[in-house]
Amino acid sequence: MQDVYITLEEAAQFEGMKYITFYKRITRNPEQYATKTQARENGGKDQVLVSVSSLSAKGRKAWRASQRTEVGATTSSGEPGPPPWYVSVDINAYIEQHQQAYYEAVEAANQVQAFIDYAGPEKRSDVAARAAVRLGISPQSLYRYQAAVLEADAWARRQEAADGKNYGYFRALALCRKPRDKDGFPSLTAEQRAIIENIWFDKGFSKNKPSVAMLYVDFEKEAARRGWTEYPSEKTVGRYLKCVMELPAAESALYLSAKGEKAWENAMQIKCKRDATTLEVMEYVVADAHTFDVWVEIAAPNGKKRAIRPVLVAWMDMRTRRILGCIVCEHSNTQIVEDSFIKMCYEAGSVPKYVHTDNGRDFANAETLGQDRKIRAMELSAMDSELKGFYKAMGAKGWSRSLPYKPWDKAIERAFGTFCRRYSRKFASYTGTLTASRTADKIEKDIPKMLDRGELLTLEEFHETLQAFLREYYDTHKHRGLSDAKEKWITPLSLWEHAPHYEHALPPRDFVVMLRMKPGRAKVSAQGITRFKTLYTAPELSFYVDKWVNIRWDVEDITRLYVYNTKTGAKICEATSAELLQFGDHVSQVALEKLHREKNRNKAAVREFLADMRTPPELRTGAENPVAGKLDLLIGHAPRSKVVALPVDKEYRSEAAARGRKEDAGGEFLTAKAEGVLKQLKAMGE
C-alpha cells in the first residue's frame, strides 16, 4: 500500500502535541521518520511532509479516525451518512438533563485516552484488560470506546478548523448514550401534524378556548375528506398537541390567535423600563381617565336622582408618582381635562415641562394639541402660527401621547390598579371589575334599590373620600416603583418634598380664565355670527362682513361671544344673542345642544312619517328594490367642516387693554333693544 504523507502541523495534532515539540522530535531523531519536501503553491521555502507510517500508534489511529470523518459513515446504499449526534447537540442543555451520565463519561474518556497514549513495554492486551476492569466493561467494549474517542477527536479538530473554537467535549459525549427522541411520533405523518397545527391555531377555532376532543372532531372530518383509511387516535393527537404547546412560542402564538394583536401586545410583548430618577419634579407628567367600579348618586337638573359610575380625570408626576388635579365627573370631556390640568398646575405651583396624555379625544384634539390629532407627533409646522394648543399656551414646552391600545407607557395606569385594590373595594356599592377579561370578578349588587334607600354616596362625597385616600394612604405609603428605582425617599409625598423641582411660573389667572373658554373661528355674515344655530350680533361686526374672526365662549353661558381679529388678535367686540337673553341671563351650551337634539329628533320623526305617506302601494306590499342613480332635486355642496382655533397671547393682551375702556357697550345696546321689543310684545298682548 502506498504510504501517505501529511504536513507537520497535522501530524502534531494527531500525536497530541504542539508543532514545535513535534518538529524538535523529528530534528533529534531523523532516522525514525520518513519525510519528504514539496514546493508550496504560493512559493517560498519547500514544505516538509512526514509519512503516516512513521507516526506512533496513537497518531496513526487518530489519522485513520480523521479519514473516516472526511469520508463519513456510509448507509446501506453507499451514500455518506450524517455526522454523529453530538456534533449538533446543545452541550449546556444536555449536561442540564444528563448531568451524572456526562461526568461519568468524562472520567471514562480520560481513562480511554490514557490507554490510547500508552507506549510502554507491556503487552497492549494486558493494558486493555486492566483498563476494561477499571471501567467495568469488557475489552471489546474498551476498543469500541477507543474508536469512539478517536472519531470524536477527529470531529473536534474538524470543527475547530472551521470556526476556531474548542470542541474537546466531543470525547465525553461520544461515550454517552444518544438522548431518546421523545417527540418523534412515528405514527403521525408530516401532513397529519400540519393539519393538527392548522386546526388548533386557527383564529376562529382558538377564540372559544377549544379542547382536544373538539380538535379531533375536525381532524376526523378532514381525514374523511382526504380519504384516509387509517389515522392516529385521539390520545395520540392529544400527546402531540401537548408536545407542540411545550415549544417556546406556542403559548404566545395561541394567545395572539385567540385574542388578537392588540391584546397580545398588552399581555405578552416585552416592554422596556424607563428611568424616572433622572427627571425633576413636574418635568414630565402623564394623564388618564379612570372609571371606578363603584356606583354613586347624582341629581339631574329636574331633581331626579340616578346612579352612575364616576370617572376620575387626573395627572401623575413621573418622578414622584403623586396624583394631582383630581376631578371626578360622569363623563370626561375636553373642558374637564383642561380644568384638571389647571388644577394640577396650581396645586404644584408650576407648569410641567412635558405633557404625556392618553390617546382619547378628550385629551388629544385640535383644541388641546394645536394640530390635527391624526398627526401622531408634535410638529410645529403643523400648528397654526398663532394657535399652539392649550398645553403649550399654558406654558408646557412639549407634549406627546400614547399609541392606541398601548397604555404601558403611562405609570398612572398602575396607580389606578392600586385604587381598585385599596380604595374601590371598601364601598358598599362596589360591583367588581366589569371588563370582559375579568368577568369572574363581578359582584351582584342591587344598585337601583340602594339608590332608592339612599345608600349611595353623592358625587361630592365620593370626591372627598378620594382626596382623603390620596392624602392619608397613597402619598404616605411605600411605593413599589420608587423602591425598585432605588430612590432615597420611597413615598410619593416625601420624594416630592426632597427632590429638585422644575420651576415654570404660572400664567395670570385672568389669562387662564380666557383659556378655559372654548375657542373657534367663524365667518361674519351681513346679520352677524351664527353659532349653535343662533345668531349673535354687535354693531362692530359691520366692518368684518364676509371675513373670518376668532371667537371664544363660556360653555356655562353662551349668551355672548367674544370676538377677536384673526391677524392682530385685537378684541373686536362681545356679540350677544337677543334670542337667548330673552330666556334668562345665563344659558349653558349643554342646554342649548339638548334643545336642538330634541328638535332634530322631532324633525326626523316627521320626515319618516312623510316618507311612509309618499311610499307607492307597490313598494308597501313588497320588499323595496335597491335603486342606483336616483334623481336628486337638491343642488349644492356638502357642509364645510368647522375649523377649530385656539387662543394666543395677543388676544389676552387685547383683552387686558379692553378692560381699561368702557365694557359691554354692545351688551348695553342689545339690552336696550331687547327691552324695547318686550314692551312692544306686552302692548300687543294687552
Side-chain angles (χ1 to χ4, degrees), residues 400-685:
S400 59
R401 55 189 175 126
S402 302
L403 293 174
Y405 305 101
K406 296 183 179 180
W408 47 79
D409 60 348
K410 302 192 303 297
I412 195 171
E413 294 275 358
R414 290 176 284 281
F416 290 156
T418 302
F419 288 3
C420 292
R421 294 189 301 271
R422 302 287 185 178
Y423 176 68
S424 300
R425 298 181 182 182
K426 296 182 179 180
F427 290 86
S429 59
Y430 174 73
T431 54
T433 303
L434 300 181
T435 56
S437 60
R438 298 180 181 178
T439 54
D441 291 342
K442 293 182 180 179
I443 302 174
E444 294 295 334
K445 297 285 182 67
D446 195 341
I447 299 300
K449 288 187 177 180
M450 294 180 68
L451 176 65
D452 294 340
R453 295 193 296 263
E455 298 176 0
L456 303 182
L457 294 181
T458 63
L459 192 65
E460 293 75 14
E461 293 172 340
F462 181 81
H463 181 264
E464 292 176 1
T465 61
L466 176 61
Q467 293 292 342
F469 168 77
L470 293 174
R471 182 175 58 254
E472 299 171 5
Y473 178 85
Y474 182 83
D475 282 345
T476 58
H477 274 66
K478 175 182 176 181
H479 195 287
R480 190 179 67 180
L482 301 180
S483 178
D484 293 344
K486 308 299 181 183
E487 291 280 7
K488 183 178 180 180
W489 295 277
I490 57 176
T491 64
L493 184 59
S494 62
L495 184 58
W496 178 277
E497 294 173 347
H498 294 90
H501 284 242
Y502 168 78
E503 300 292 345
H504 189 285
L506 294 167
R509 286 185 176 270
D510 50 355
F511 176 65
V512 174
V513 171
M514 190 185 72
L515 283 179
R516 287 187 70 255
M517 294 183 182
K518 288 288 185 180
R521 185 169 293 178
K523 190 174 184 180
V524 181
S525 66
Q527 296 177 330
I529 298 174
T530 302
R531 182 54 58 101
F532 315 119
K533 299 182 180 180
T534 304
L535 181 64
Y536 295 83
T537 61
E540 294 83 356
L541 294 179
S542 59
F543 302 106
Y544 295 89
V545 176
D546 292 334
K547 295 181 180 180
W548 288 91
V549 293
N550 291 337
I551 59 174
R552 288 183 177 276
W553 65 92
D554 186 352
V555 293
E556 300 299 330
D557 181 17
I558 57 170
T559 58
R560 67 183 65 244
L561 298 179
Y562 301 85
V563 187
Y564 300 88
N565 190 299
T566 56
K567 295 182 179 180
T568 64
K571 183 177 180 181
I572 298 174
C573 64
E574 295 181 10
T576 57
S577 171
E579 177 185 355
L580 294 180
L581 288 173
Q582 293 176 2
F583 294 105
D585 295 335
H586 297 281
V587 177
S588 69
Q589 179 183 344
V590 176
L592 185 62
E593 290 176 351
K594 181 180 179 181
L595 172 64
H596 285 299
R597 283 197 301 270
E598 293 176 353
K599 292 167 62 177
N600 291 337
R601 191 180 301 113
N602 294 336
K603 185 188 296 184
V606 173
R607 286 178 175 174
E608 183 179 357
F609 180 83
L610 180 61
D612 292 340
M613 295 298 101
R614 291 177 175 177
T615 303
E618 293 82 6
L619 297 181
R620 293 190 183 189
T621 56
E624 184 176 357
N625 295 325
V627 179
K630 194 172 182 180
L631 179 62
D632 188 0
L633 299 179
L634 298 180
I635 300 175
H637 297 285
R640 295 182 179 180
S641 59
K642 298 179 181 179
V643 181
V644 178
L646 298 180
V648 292
D649 292 346
K650 60 187 179 184
E651 293 180 0
Y652 168 69
R653 292 196 299 268
S654 174
E655 181 72 22
R659 284 197 297 270
R661 300 190 296 268
K662 185 178 179 180
E663 298 181 352
D664 297 332
E668 294 176 359
F669 170 78
L670 290 176
T671 302
K673 187 174 182 179
E675 291 178 354
V677 174
L678 287 174
K679 290 180 181 180
Q680 294 178 3
L681 291 174
K682 289 181 180 179
M684 292 174 63

Side-chain angles (χ1 to χ4, degrees), residues 286-290 312-315 357-358 363 407 410 412-413 416:
V286 297
D288 201 3
H290 172 67
L312 170 65
V313 178
W315 298 76
T357 69
D358 187 72
F363 288 93
K410 302 192 303 297
I412 195 171
E413 294 275 358
F416 290 156

Side-chain angles (χ1 to χ4, degrees), residues 117-364:
D117 295 341
Y118 180 77
E122 191 176 357
K123 289 183 178 181
R124 195 162 184 81
S125 59
D126 296 339
V127 178
R130 288 199 307 272
V133 171
R134 287 195 300 269
L135 292 173
I137 58 177
S138 65
Q140 292 79 5
S141 298
L142 176 65
Y143 287 114
R144 289 197 301 271
Y145 278 18
Q146 174 184 274
V149 169
L150 290 172
E151 183 183 13
D153 282 336
W155 278 104
R157 286 191 295 270
R158 183 176 179 181
Q159 294 292 101
E160 183 177 357
D163 55 18
K165 299 179 181 178
N166 187 355
Y167 292 88
Y169 60 85
F170 280 3
R171 295 191 305 164
L173 291 179
L175 302 183
C176 293
R177 287 182 177 272
K178 180 182 178 181
R180 184 171 63 90
D181 187 6
K182 299 180 180 179
D183 306 329
F185 295 97
S187 60
L188 283 173
T189 64
E191 182 184 17
Q192 292 170 346
R193 296 183 188 188
I195 292 173
I196 294 172
E197 295 164 2
N198 293 161
I199 297 173
W200 185 253
F201 289 97
D202 179 73
K203 182 178 181 180
F205 185 82
S206 59
K207 276 186 176 181
N208 297 332
K209 298 181 179 180
S211 62
V212 177
M214 294 173 59
L215 182 144
Y216 195 72
V217 171
D218 292 347
F219 181 76
E220 287 183 317
K221 292 180 181 178
E222 187 66 20
R225 191 181 70 83
R226 294 175 180 263
W228 295 343
T229 57
E230 294 183 0
Y231 48 86
S233 64
E234 181 178 341
K235 291 184 178 180
T236 302
V237 172
R239 287 195 301 271
Y240 175 72
L241 193 59
K242 182 180 179 181
C243 174
V244 170
M245 293 306 297
E246 290 176 356
L247 296 176
E251 288 288 347
S252 183
L254 186 64
Y255 192 93
L256 175 62
S257 175
K259 304 294 185 179
E261 185 174 344
K262 293 176 181 177
W264 179 86
E265 289 177 351
N266 288 336
M268 297 291 184
Q269 194 176 53
I270 298 296
K271 289 88 177 176
C272 63
K273 187 174 183 179
R274 295 184 176 182
D275 183 13
T277 59
T278 59
L279 298 174
E280 293 181 334
V281 178
M282 290 299 291
E283 183 178 354
Y284 191 93
V285 296
V286 297
D288 201 3
H290 172 67
T291 303
F292 287 97
D293 302 318
V294 176
W295 295 83
V296 299
E297 171 191 307
I298 64 169
N302 60 3
K304 185 178 180 181
K305 297 180 180 180
R306 57 192 181 91
I308 66 165
R309 293 170 62 203
V311 176
L312 170 65
V313 178
W315 298 76
M316 170 185 277
D317 172 55
M318 277 300 298
R319 176 65 191 275
T320 63
R321 311 302 201 275
R322 282 200 74 190
I323 305 296
L324 303 169
C326 296
I327 293 182
V328 181
C329 57
E330 181 179 4
H331 301 293
S332 173
N333 55 42
T334 302
Q335 188 74 20
I336 292 175
V337 169
E338 293 177 355
D339 290 345
S340 176
F341 185 86
I342 295 170
K343 183 179 179 182
M344 172 198 62
C345 294
Y346 279 95
E347 287 178 353
S350 173
V351 178
K353 187 175 183 179
Y354 297 108
V355 176
H356 186 79
T357 69
D358 187 72
N359 195 59
R361 291 184 178 274
D362 46 352
F363 288 93

